[in-house]
Amino acid sequence: MLQNLFTIPLWKTSLNVDGETKQKILNQIKLNYKNHKDYHQPDWDCVIHSTMSENNNIDYSSLLPLYKKEYEGFASQQNLDLNFHNYSIDSIWYNYYIKHSNQESHNHLGFFVKENEFNFFSGVHFLKLNQNHPKIVFYNTNTCPPYEYI
């Protein structure tokens, strides 16, 4: 489902990840957190355990076909011809939230991936989320109040 968010399109969907796959990855994340729980991103203004740049030895290979299928479905619905553009899914990491964790406001616009390649699409995949977890917040500096909850 494509939704407009502050004139920036937002693709929102649910992935069908089987319980065994999800649990396998969650177990890896819990073990990795246990081994590196004191590590926090040094340049981020937040309190969160993340593997964006270090300690990312999680096997995401079982999720890649799901992400690929989702992107190709999105591209097809948006008439983006996959024969005329290249895409890759190569920057996967996790953020591990515990009580009192927070993520600072940030954007992913123009994020440099490799030489002459930029990140035009970003994704967030919650492997474990319940009704008590805070919702993701998107800020719009053009309006007051500057947020949208999804």
Side-chain angles (χ1 to χ4, degrees):
M1 160 179 40
L2 186 65
Q3 299 176 333
N4 286 323
L5 179 67
F6 316 130
T7 68
I8 297 172
L10 172 71
W11 180 266
K12 185 177 177 182
T13 189
S14 294
L15 294 177
N16 187 16
V17 181
D18 67 85
E20 183 179 337
T21 298
K22 188 183 295 188
Q23 195 56 54
K24 181 181 173 186
I25 294 171
L26 286 171
N27 288 343
Q28 290 178 58
I29 289 172
K30 287 177 187 175
L31 179 61
N32 199 48
Y33 172 72
K34 181 180 175 185
N35 292 332
H36 304 285
K37 65 182 169 187
D38 293 331
Y39 178 77
H40 298 282
Q41 291 294 105
D43 298 329
W44 291 4
D45 186 22
C46 60
V47 178
I48 189 170
H49 171 75
S50 178
T51 60
M52 182 177 169
S53 58
E54 287 192 27
N55 308 315
N56 195 8
N57 59 352
I58 307 302
D59 179 7
Y60 300 105
S61 62
S62 58
L63 294 176
L64 288 175
L66 299 172
Y67 296 158
K68 181 179 187 296
K69 181 179 178 184
E70 188 62 34
Y71 178 75
E72 289 174 354
F74 164 78
S76 175
Q77 287 190 15
Q78 301 307 307
N79 296 315
L80 301 174
D81 191 338
L82 292 173
N83 294 318
F84 292 105
H85 79 277
N86 295 323
Y87 72 96
S88 64
I89 303 170
D90 52 19
S91 295
I92 300 176
W93 68 89
Y94 72 79
N95 288 349
Y96 189 83
Y97 296 89
I98 59 172
K99 190 173 185 177
H100 305 299
S101 292
N102 71 304
Q103 177 72 60
E104 85 279 19
S105 177
H106 65 282
N107 69 57
H108 295 195
L109 299 175
F111 183 73
F112 180 73
V113 178
K114 297 177 186 173
E115 187 174 341
N116 298 319
E117 293 183 12
F118 291 89
N119 182 18
F120 291 103
F121 299 101
S122 295
V124 177
H125 181 194
F126 293 95
L127 283 171
K128 185 177 178 184
L129 185 68
N130 65 41
Q131 296 300 319
N132 297 328
H133 287 111
K135 303 296 182 207
I136 198 168
V137 177
F138 294 92
Y139 289 89
N140 178 1
T141 58
N142 298 321
T143 63
C144 289
Y147 50 82
E148 178 86 19
Y149 292 97
I150 299 293

